[in-house]
Amino acid sequence: MTKDAYNIKPRRASFRRILHPQTGHVLDRGIVLFFPGPNSFTGEDIVELHIHGGNAVINGILEALNELPYFRIAEQGEFARRAFDNDKLDLTELEGLADLLNAETELQRRLALQQAEGGLRHVFDHWREKIIHSMAITEAVIDFGEDENIEDGALDEVIKNIKELRDTITQHLDDKHVGEIVRSGVQVAIVGPPNAGKSSLLNRLAKREAAIVSDIPGTTRDVVEVTLNLGGFPVILSDTAGLRESDDRIEMEGVKRAKARVELSDIKICLLSLSNLNLDSESSEQQHNVNIDPIVRQVIDADTYVLLNKQDMVPGTSSFLALADRIERETGARKVWSISCKTGQGMDVFLRDMVQILKARFDQSLANPALITQARHRQHLEQCLESLEAFLDIPVQDIVLGAEELRQAANSLGRITGRIDVENVLDALFGQFCIGK
Ligand SMILES: Nc1nc2c(ncn2[C@@H]2O[C@H](COP(=O)(O)OP(=O)(O)OP(=O)(O)O)[C@@H](O)[C@H]2O)c(=O)[nH]1
Ligand SMILES: [Mg+2]
């Protein structure tokens, strides 16, 4: 479709007039790129036309292309599908690519790119090769056990290698789900008594009126979610119904939902109102416990962060540090801040600390290039581990059963990367042993 098609150099941008192949009419001027296979995205020859975006130009070029034999519009995801079929990408890389397109924060982008560039593929393929190698030896022992060509102690070596791999995979699975959490967003739930300002906090952080705020206790009933980007971390922040006992059936359903959401969350924030804590004069601090309803107290544990709201209503909280200390001691909460959702007081410090908390919890693990990002990976890895354990439990005389467990283990890994191929076993077998005599 250009006059000097044969002068287009591979992988170099060429600025050309684009012509109708039959009529010779100029359709547009644009950039033509040619990627000859197999060094292209799909492994096939690929031509890219970078043209102007007007409807007439696009339609004209599509009509012209339609004149070419075998031309058709690609189906959704067809290029990725072809890349997979031609072994250019494995399943994990495809998943990474899809995540990259959907990434909303810096960390999600980093994680997706790592995976799209083969971070997981390399690790899983390496493990799978190890299992296939062990399988090859095991099969050889089964078939040629008496033969001199099989080294003494070959099976001991297999058992040692499988034990090592089992430990490596166990360690890999013990990642506190960091990859999955960052991929889908850190769940942060705000809980607390009614009227403390939970919905006000959500709105302030979301910078919009996502939840209804009113001075009537029991305003929020359903869980209200917003997504935020906190220092690159994707956060799903949930506002919940105020916790209290009530005769109102709908309110109690809200309380039930609030508790369920807290259970599910990665980070709990309990919001209390400074104006309701019944803080007597400083001298009486030692005599009274802070006034926190037992239903709220129950959800505060060593993983809960406490926010004391409405600081603007309690002027001169010079003794805030002592108060924070006291609340930490009494409730076992992890850390306490004081803020005002009304004036924004204390919000900077709280947010800065929150980012540090997220970093401390997730940053180090994110450096692992093979972090599990999907439940699918975890499920297959757990199955792989089960098969390896089963192999190690089988007595040596039942080695045939053992070989089957290794096959299952390799298949589980193959399912992650999308390649289960028994031919590999045969290749490895023939490649490693001189059994053809
Ligand atoms: N003075 C002051 N008032 C506040 C502050 N934060 C919230 N309020 C007010 O407190 C009242 C309750 O706020 P909400 O955000 O609806 O409280 P909530 O915790 O979501 O309440 P429920 O949904 O009933 O559980 C509203 O009248 C807010 O305007 C604050 O920092 N200072
Ligand atoms: Mg509310």
Side-chain angles (χ1 to χ4, degrees), residues 192-194 242-246 270 272 276-277 289-300 331:
L243 300 179
R244 68 170 171 185
E245 300 294 348
S246 153
C270 181
L272 304 171
N276 282 345
L277 288 179
N289 275 353
V290 179
N291 177 30
I292 304 172
D293 190 327
I295 191 172
V296 177
R297 219 172 250 266
Q298 267 170 17
V299 300
I300 305 178
T331 62

Side-chain angles (χ1 to χ4, degrees), residues 88-146:
K88 283 282 172 179
L89 294 176
D90 81 334
L91 255 188
T92 62
E93 287 164 324
L94 272 183
E95 286 167 341
L97 199 61
D99 284 353
L100 193 59
L101 297 177
N102 292 321
E104 295 205 341
T105 75
E106 160 70 17
L107 276 183
Q108 284 177 322
R109 185 186 60 73
R110 223 168 78 190
L111 199 63
L113 200 60
Q114 219 162 261
Q115 190 173 325
E117 286 183 339
L120 286 179
R121 175 190 201 162
H122 292 138
V123 172
F124 295 149
D125 276 354
H126 178 60
W127 290 349
R128 187 158 171 266
E129 274 157 25
K130 275 190 171 176
I131 298 176
I132 287 172
H133 176 69
S134 295
M135 248 167 96
I137 298 174
T138 311
E139 303 270 0
V141 171
I142 293 167
D143 291 348
F144 308 97
E146 307 294 316

